Amino acid sequence: MSVGSGEGALGAPGDSGAARLPEGWAWVRLADLLIAPTSNGRSVRSGSDDEGFPVLRLTAIKDDGVDCSEYKLGDWTAEEAAPYLIRPGDFLVSRASGSLNLVGRGAMVTSLMEPVAYPDTMIRIRTSPDHVEPRFLAHLWNSPAVRRQIERSARTGTGINKVSQSAVREVALPLPPTAEQSRIADSLDERLTRLDTIESRLLSTQRRLEKLRDFVMVAAATGVLAWDAAPQQLPIADALGVKDGVLPPLAAGWRWTRLQDIADVVGGVTKDSKNQHDPALSEVPYLRVANAQRARLELSQVAKIRVAPKTLEKLRLRDGDLLMTEGGDRDKLGRGWIWEGQIENCIHQNHLFRARVLEQSTHPKLLGWYVNSWARSWFEANGKQSVNLASISISKVKLLPVPVPPADEQEQTDFVELGERVLARFDRLVIACETGLTRTTALRRALLSEAFSGRLVPQDPDDEPAEDLLKRIRAEREAAEAERKAARRASSQARRKSQAKLKASSPAPPAPTTDAPLPEGEQATLPLEFTA
């Protein structure tokens, strides 16, 4: 049955502060629109590389539909997979995810190249395209109004967010007439396609700007950003245990050396849980890997640790110290930036290296730019990979080849100021792209809100009202259920008749005979006759 009428408010009946539904619309539960019960898929083990039946991965649910090419081969047969096969028009919803904003995400199956089943991490929804325009349902399901309901009903256990079939069936949806659903879907497709194009171009521009920014950092760190740099390829003596690869050219007057020759490199503190409740120890802020991002420090969340006074004295950060990551993803080894005294008495953990430049041999920013640009490939080449994480030893980090500018301090400052001016321009462009992406997100939400409040396209009084549509759906569903029951009864009667016929045509079992030999030790009992 429907859960409301045109008097409801968008977002779910009873929610406040939302627009009223137009005439001819109605609030419904998803369950009111189903032509078949919702069902979870089946958990199945992975098969071999070339054997098994295809089953979708959870990542197959995309923003623009289900990507049926994203599957694995499951260890089951085609017969076993048959109840879980999907078909065009099916709507799949993610049942579980580590991220709350991904649980309950839905997408439509639009085409199939080969038979494929859906897994237990998905729920299959089937509606009739005669009742619900598939594109309308796809847009509506991922709208803010539905997302709020899904996230409210999700349950979390062992770090996994889950949504049940019953919660999915109870999701409240604003339902317009079928013809209006098509008009809304057409309008949204056109507008969202334009937004997608704009968003794609902004993201592409962002990626290009990041690459150009890396190029500028390398040029600034090697002196070749200056117009009179006269770049030249200079060698560096090999160091045992590291692979230097090809190094960038240096400006005239610059040279190569190893990090240990110009900086004091140390590791950080290892957290000892036994000491964290000792009031005799000082509690101080300390930086972790998450705080060291590419060419910047993220200090919105800084943890604290208790350490001995001598540890604090040894590891206290100073202005100009360069922080670099020791472990994590391989392509993130060595990332980090310069400490500028943002927090008093701050130290760093053992998964961060600190390089403190000696005797003004270079400017910390020149070193930081180099480490976050060209040196990235050096860290990747010299890191060590374990099962899940990569790492690099302090002994290798000390052998990092680094460019050294002329000793003149003013000349070093000039190089830094030039780099900062050029990078500031790139930063402004990056911010402009981020602002544009924020606006596209806001526009997308506004479009969906307008669409499902009935304000995106005009209403047509000749359209069949949603309440009449619901009556028709109920009548068709009841008729289909009656047909299924009749078919089940006919099948049951036919089975009973077949069994009765088989029983009637079977020969009677033979009567027992008395000629069979008696077991050893037993005697036959003879009938006795009595005469008068």
Side-chain angles (χ1 to χ4, degrees):
M1 61 178 291
S2 64
V3 297
S5 66
E7 295 303 312
L10 186 63
D15 283 0
S16 60
R20 313 293 272 185
L21 291 182
E23 194 69 30
W25 290 43
W27 278 107
V28 300
R29 299 172 305 147
L30 176 66
D32 299 325
L33 305 177
L34 300 176
I35 60 171
T38 57
S39 61
N40 294 341
R42 174 179 155 180
S43 176
V44 58
R45 294 178 302 175
S46 297
S48 62
D49 291 341
D50 54 357
E51 293 184 357
F53 195 86
V55 57
L56 291 174
R57 300 181 185 275
L58 188 57
T59 53
I61 296 180
K62 308 289 186 184
D63 289 337
D64 57 352
V66 176
D67 183 354
C68 295
S69 66
E70 283 204 25
Y71 64 77
K72 65 178 182 179
L73 293 178
D75 186 16
W76 57 351
T77 64
E79 290 75 21
E80 292 171 322
Y84 308 99
L85 292 180
I86 59 173
R87 66 192 187 198
D90 283 351
F91 194 77
L92 300 180
V93 172
S94 63
R95 194 168 67 87
S97 174
S99 175
L100 182 60
N101 63 353
L102 292 181
V103 69
R105 183 186 188 196
M108 189 69 64
V109 178
T110 56
S111 62
L112 281 171
M113 299 298 293
E114 59 182 316
V116 63
Y118 67 106
D120 66 325
T121 53
M122 296 182 187
I123 299 171
R124 183 179 62 192
I125 295 170
R126 281 181 172 166
T127 59
S128 170
D130 295 332
H131 307 147
V132 182
E133 161 62 54
R135 295 171 300 143
F136 173 85
L137 178 60
H139 288 309
L140 175 58
W141 192 262
N142 293 304
S143 69
V146 172
R147 286 302 314 161
R148 284 194 295 271
Q149 296 180 67
I150 292 290
E151 291 178 10
R152 280 199 299 262
S153 63
R155 298 292 178 264
T156 303
T158 63
I160 301 296
N161 301 283
K162 297 181 179 180
V163 65
S164 65
Q165 285 191 59
S166 58
V168 166
R169 288 193 296 267
E170 291 301 314
V171 168
L173 305 172
L175 183 71
T178 306
E180 190 173 345
Q181 293 174 30
S182 296
R183 295 196 298 272
I184 290 172
D186 289 342
S187 182
L188 281 175
D189 285 346
E190 178 189 354
R191 288 165 167 77
L192 291 177
T193 297
R194 292 206 298 266
L195 269 182
D196 289 341
T197 300
I198 293 169
E199 195 172 68
S200 176
R201 289 175 180 174
L202 285 170
L203 289 170
S204 176
T205 302
Q206 257 190 337
R207 288 191 292 268
R208 282 194 234 169
L209 286 171
E210 289 299 328
K211 289 181 180 179
L212 287 171
R213 198 174 190 280
D214 282 354
F215 176 80
V216 172
M217 284 196 291
V218 175
T222 55
V224 301
L225 190 59
W227 67 272
D228 58 347
Q232 51 192 319
Q233 206 73 43
L234 297 176
I236 185 173
D238 290 339
L240 187 64
V242 295
K243 298 170 285 187
D244 291 332
V246 178
L247 298 176
L250 299 179
W254 289 58
R255 62 185 176 87
W256 288 106
T257 191
R258 301 287 173 181
L259 182 59
Q260 64 185 6
D261 297 327
I262 65 163
D264 177 37
V265 184
V266 299
V269 64
T270 301
K271 188 170 184 177
D272 185 349
S273 57
K274 293 183 296 184
N275 295 335
Q276 296 312 301
H277 301 288
D278 186 350
L281 300 179
S282 302
E283 186 178 59
V284 297
Y286 81 116
L287 301 185
R288 300 166 296 163
V289 169
N291 299 119
Q293 298 297 313
R294 180 71 62 195
R296 65 185 177 88
L297 296 179
E298 174 53 62
L299 303 178
S300 59
Q301 294 184 341
V302 176
K304 291 192 174 183
I305 188 171
R306 290 187 180 275
V307 296
K310 62 179 182 180
T311 302
L312 172 59
E313 188 60 33
K314 176 185 175 183
L315 297 178
R316 183 188 284 117
L317 294 172
R318 300 181 193 170
D319 284 4
D321 286 348
L322 174 63
L323 293 158
M324 299 172 287
T325 56
E326 169 266 349
D329 295 337
R330 198 177 189 92
D331 63 343
K332 295 178 178 62
L333 293 178
R335 76 179 184 189
W337 192 236
I338 299 156
W339 182 251
E340 296 175 299
Q342 295 95 323
I343 304 172
E344 188 177 1
N345 288 331
C346 191
I347 62 176
H348 59 102
Q349 71 168 185
N350 59 314
H351 295 302
L352 290 175
F353 300 123
R354 183 214 72 198
R356 182 171 292 162
V357 175
L358 304 173
E359 299 176 353
Q360 297 180 334
S361 49
T362 187
H363 193 288
K365 281 195 175 179
L366 295 176
L367 179 59
W369 286 334
Y370 178 74
V371 165
N372 284 281
S373 55
W374 192 277
R376 291 166 65 173
S377 58
W378 186 93
F379 278 100
E380 285 191 50
N382 290 281
K384 180 178 66 175
Q385 185 73 43
S386 63
V387 176
N388 296 317
L389 297 174
S391 62
I392 190 167
S393 66
I394 192 170
S395 59
K396 286 189 175 181
V397 170
K398 289 180 177 181
L399 296 176
L400 171 70
V402 293
V404 179
D408 184 86
E409 185 177 349
Q410 182 57 51
E411 197 168 352
Q412 292 183 16
T413 302
D414 292 343
F415 284 124
V416 170
E417 289 178 352
L418 175 60
E420 286 178 332
R421 285 199 304 272
V422 178
L423 288 170
R425 296 173 186 170
F426 281 91
D427 290 341
R428 288 193 292 271
L429 292 172
V430 169
I431 290 172
C433 287
E434 291 172 350
T435 301
L437 289 169
T438 301
R439 288 176 178 170
T440 60
T441 300
L443 278 171
R444 191 181 302 275
R445 294 175 67 90
L447 269 174
L448 294 173
S449 177
E450 291 291 291
F452 304 125
S453 299
R455 296 191 296 266
L456 186 63
V457 299
Q459 280 77 49
D460 187 339
D462 293 332
D463 289 341
E464 177 191 39
E467 287 290 356
D468 292 349
L469 170 62
L470 289 171
K471 292 175 184 176
R472 186 156 52 86
I473 293 174
R474 285 194 292 271
E476 291 177 10
R477 192 159 49 210
E478 289 168 1
E481 181 61 26
E483 287 181 8
R484 283 193 292 269
K485 286 181 178 179
R488 285 196 297 268
R489 283 196 300 270
S491 175
S492 178
Q493 290 172 356
R495 189 166 54 252
R496 286 197 298 269
K497 286 181 180 180
S498 176
Q499 290 172 347
K501 185 177 181 181
L502 181 65
K503 185 177 181 180
S505 62
S506 299
T513 67
T514 59
D515 297 334
L518 294 173
E520 185 177 352
E522 290 190 15
Q523 294 183 346
T525 301
L526 299 176
L528 298 178
E529 293 184 3
F530 295 89
T531 58

